[in-house]
Amino acid sequence: MVPLMMLMEPISADDPLSYALLSFKSEILDDSNALNDWFLPSQPQPSTRIHACSWTGVKCNQNSSKITALDLSMKNLGGSFSGKQFNLFVDLVDLNLSHNAFSDQLPPGIFNITSLISLDISRNNFSGVFPTGISKLSNLVVLDAFSNSFSGPLPADVSRLDSLKILNFAGSYFSGPIPSDYGSFKSIEFIHLAGNFLNGKLPPALGNLQTLSHMEIGYNSYEGGIPWQFGNLSELNYLDIADANISGTIPYQLGNLTKLESLFLFRNRLSGKIPWELSRILSLKSLDLSDNLLSGPIPDSLSELKNLILLSLMYNDLSGSVPDGIARLPELETLLIWNNYFTGSLPEDLGRSSRLKHVDVSTNFFVGSIPTGICAGGELMKLILFSNNFTGGLSPSLSNCSSLVRLRLEDNLFSGEISLHFGNLPDISYVDLSRNMFTGGIPSDIDQSSRLEYFNVSSNPELGGVIPIKLWSLPNLQNFSMVSCGVSGNIPAFESCKSVSVIELRTNNLSGYVEESVSNCKQLVVMDLANNNLTGSIPVELASLPAISLLDLSHNGFTGPIPAKLGSSASLKLLNVSYNDISGAIPSNKTFKMMDQSAFLGNPKLCGAPLRPCSRESGISNGLELGSRRAQKLAWVLILCAVTVLFIVAAVFGVVYFRRGSKGQWKMVAFHGLPQFTAKDVLRSFNCVEAMETALALPDSIGKVVLPTGITVSAKKIEWEPKEMKVMLQFLTRIGNSRHENLVRLLGICYNNQLAYLLYDYMPNGNLAEKIGICRDWETKCRIISGVAKALCFLHHGCFLAIPHGNLKASNVLLDENMEPHLAEYGLSSIVESSENHLPAKSRNETGGFRTSIRDELDLDVYNFGELILEVLTNGRVGNALGITQNLQREDLIRKVGDDNGIVPSSSLHEDMKSAVEVALLCTRSRPADRPTMQDALKLLPRPKGVPRKA
């Protein structure tokens, strides 16, 4: 370092800017060595030239006498800097520090570069209050501070920048109202304030911005409604106030925005009718008013919007019929009106005058048939009509709709044959025709659907037919459901079922055997063959399936013993072989011990726990079984002695109990994985009980404990009422016996009548919330998301009864020594809440546990999982992501996530990234009924490389 300083001293007087940049470099972190060419020469340069002009990111004028721009974007730089060097850069017009990891407060010294025209500090982690003094940058045109961690109020003095055209403060933690001063910009064209914690009322003064063309102020939480003065924004091209808690009616004055092309007001509390005046905005291309409280009909006047590409009115209280004019909009590509109260038929001409790509009218009260020209434009990809009252057969045009990818017609009154020609549907991947009245079986050419992943025709009781022989050969088929369809014949051989994860054939007329070729189904998670006429033995090959979680063979004619090897399956969580003709002893493996008695009933020749004991093969009975009088007398003597001993022991324990006080004696329950320590051993490890209780003063607190033999565990304290101890212990035992590779194991419980310490595996790397802001590679993020999904899927679908997590968040995702995710605190929310509320408001379920509504809790888990995905993908910044549910907004989110993770559209990871975002948006849908199950969410998630998909 000394030689470098000696070189710098003589040069600094003649080349102060190069010296200033070296000073800046010495303050920051450059782990990637991106600025490795920033060094001084061994010989001084001519005094008129600046040596730094040849350095990375530095731009100068032609004779290298002035530095005009400094572009350090995407250099993986970090740390903080003082900014004291910047007052020397009097000629700098462009400063770009974006896409780095700079942190701490933004140095106000930057505002001494009074020549700046563009300042870009976006996608960093600058925090604290935005410093004052920016009004000194009188020439500033562009200010981009997108995606940082600023807090406190928005800077009001920025409004004094008369030249400012672009202002982006989105994606931070700014709070308070939007300053009314923001209505005084002279030249502003672009304002983006979305994704913060802004509140208060929207200032009517924003309506004064006569030069504004683009305004995004959503994803905040305002009070009141949209000021009618926004109708004065005569140059406005784009208006987004989505997910902003705004209420009231939509001002009819917005119809004056004759240059507007995009209007996004979704996910708010807007009420009243859709103003007919919106039809005056002839330039409008995207109109999204979804997820509000709007009522009344769709105005006929909207048929005047000939440039409309997107119309989204879903999740409202709209009613009436769809105007025929909507079908004649020539540019319409996306029509989303699901979850309303619409009636009547769909317009007969729908699809004939436009190139429809996405139609979703599900969950309404539509009747009639599918419009015959629905695919006339040749670009229809998604047709979603479920949960209506549609009748008749399938539209013939669907058979030749080669662009179709997703078809959902479930829960209607469709009838007739399934007239789909799969050979003409090369891209179809998802087909759901369940809960209708179809007949004629499955089309025989279904094996030509090479991209088909999901097929469901369940609950079509008159469908009949047989399962196509080549069905399992479909290379991408994952889910095949054909429950209650009157299907007969045999189950085809499983010669090529490499991708299938779910097979549901319950309640049909299937006969024959389950062939040994089932061992080829390496991805199989669920096999449900209940209520058929299947015979033969249970294939031992089922035990070799690495992912099998649920196997239901009940109500068939299976014979022979239960293969003992099934007990060695690490993934099998639910087995049901009840009501067959199975014989022999139930294997004693731990897998079978987890099963309830109901899994084995109805097999008279079956014995062993949890059924009746098996008789001894030798036939030699003991004296009691032979009924010998002498043996009986001896037995009674032994019983009386035992009762006497128990009485004495109980009396002694009773005295000890009352001496110890109401808390009672400490006891210990140890689950698999924890040595059989006594309660005394554990309490001694706490040093003393009182000290541990002080350390764990709050019910949610966690302590680190070293047990005998050096085992380190985490201890959590909960409190309960003595009368509730038994039922809580039962529930905790269920949790303790639940084992999954992505769950933090409950190792044991040390308890008395009022307190319990839950002992868990200790995770050395803390929790996800502590590390969420660290930029990680895509595979790591994918592994974390997938691990949490697997754990939740197991709790929801692999446990009987299901165990809701109840408090899913980043701080409850713990990381082991290999940074693998493990879900903690599962199932405890109802216990903690019950103990705090002394249980009066809780209802008991059929097993005696506590539950408000287990379905609601499972739905909440799914929603929280969606939020967690977005949190992981955006490195902890999710404020401007939630609520983007369709098309353009979804694409904006995908672009943001791509930017945050360095994934460009041409990258091989782009499709995986899109899939993860799609799952997050599905999980965070407003209405629980529209969210996927965790089983479905796991199937849809991208798979980490080298990791098999399993529950």
Side-chain angles (χ1 to χ4, degrees), residues 740 742-746 760-763 814 822-824 826:
H740 188 275
N742 293 111
L743 290 178
V744 178
R745 295 185 302 170
L746 176 58
Y760 290 96
D761 274 329
Y762 176 69
M763 294 290 156
L814 306 187
H822 297 262
L823 202 54
Y826 49 95

Side-chain angles (χ1 to χ4, degrees), residues 129-246:
V129 176
F130 194 87
T132 58
I134 196 169
S135 59
K136 292 188 289 184
L137 304 182
S138 58
N139 298 309
L140 199 64
V141 175
V142 176
L143 174 57
D144 191 348
F146 173 74
S147 192
N148 276 282
S149 297
F150 292 114
S151 57
L154 289 168
D157 56 345
V158 73
S159 63
R160 298 204 291 271
L161 299 175
D162 292 345
S163 299
L164 194 66
K165 293 184 178 180
I166 296 175
L167 174 64
N168 193 340
F169 279 140
S172 275
Y173 302 100
F174 287 111
S175 58
I178 298 175
S180 295
D181 293 350
Y182 279 25
S184 61
F185 285 108
K186 297 294 191 293
S187 307
I188 200 73
E189 297 176 1
F190 180 103
I191 290 181
H192 193 357
L193 308 176
N196 284 288
F197 294 134
L198 301 176
N199 50 40
K201 294 185 176 181
L202 292 174
L206 293 180
N208 299 329
L209 302 176
Q210 296 298 305
T211 59
L212 189 65
S213 62
H214 185 113
M215 181 162 69
E216 293 183 67
I217 54 176
Y219 307 102
N220 287 291
S221 187
Y222 304 113
E223 301 169 9
I226 303 172
W228 65 264
Q229 289 88 347
F230 282 16
N232 296 330
L233 298 170
S234 56
E235 295 297 317
L236 201 61
N237 175 270
Y238 187 104
L239 177 59
D240 187 341
I241 323 179
D243 197 6
N245 196 45
I246 52 176

Side-chain angles (χ1 to χ4, degrees), residues 328-390:
R328 293 190 287 271
L329 294 175
E331 303 297 327
L332 190 64
E333 295 180 357
T334 302
L335 177 64
L336 308 174
I337 56 175
W338 44 291
N339 272 93
N340 280 288
Y341 298 93
F342 291 118
T343 55
S345 301
L346 291 177
E348 185 177 348
D349 293 333
L350 188 64
R352 293 191 182 279
S353 302
S354 57
R355 294 186 174 182
L356 285 177
K357 293 182 179 179
H358 187 180
V359 175
D360 192 338
V361 302
S362 58
T363 318
N364 280 288
F365 296 94
F366 287 115
V367 297
S369 57
I370 301 174
T372 55
I374 192 75
C375 191
E379 297 186 14
L380 185 65
M381 299 174 63
K382 297 181 181 180
L383 179 60
I384 317 294
L385 309 180
F386 66 83
S387 297
N388 280 286
N389 295 309
F390 289 113

Side-chain angles (χ1 to χ4, degrees), residues 740-761:
H740 188 275
E741 60 186 351
N742 293 111
L743 290 178
V744 178
R745 295 185 302 170
L746 176 58
L747 300 174
I749 311 168
C750 185
Y751 69 97
N752 61 23
N753 287 346
Q754 294 183 0
L755 296 175
Y757 295 116
L758 309 184
L759 307 179
Y760 290 96
D761 274 329

Side-chain angles (χ1 to χ4, degrees), residues 693 696-701 715-719 755-758:
E693 290 185 18
L696 298 175
L698 298 175
D700 285 335
S701 55
K716 177 182 177 66
K717 171 187 171 184
I718 61 172
E719 300 178 8
L755 296 175
Y757 295 116
L758 309 184

Side-chain angles (χ1 to χ4, degrees), residues 599-671:
F600 305 102
L601 294 175
N603 292 283
K605 302 174 187 176
L606 194 61
C607 63
L611 301 181
R612 61 182 175 84
C614 295
S615 61
R616 298 178 61 181
E617 291 183 0
S618 64
I620 301 174
S621 303
N622 58 34
L624 287 174
E625 290 175 327
L626 291 174
S628 130
R629 296 173 63 89
R630 183 176 179 183
Q632 289 179 10
K633 289 180 180 179
L634 177 61
W636 279 111
V637 170
L638 292 174
I639 291 171
L640 288 172
C641 290
V643 170
T644 303
V645 171
L646 288 174
F647 178 80
I648 294 171
V649 170
V652 171
F653 272 100
V655 172
V656 173
Y657 174 83
F658 286 110
R659 285 183 178 178
R660 287 172 178 255
S662 61
K663 286 188 177 182
Q665 183 178 1
W666 286 96
K667 300 177 183 179
M668 184 71 196
V669 175
F671 301 110

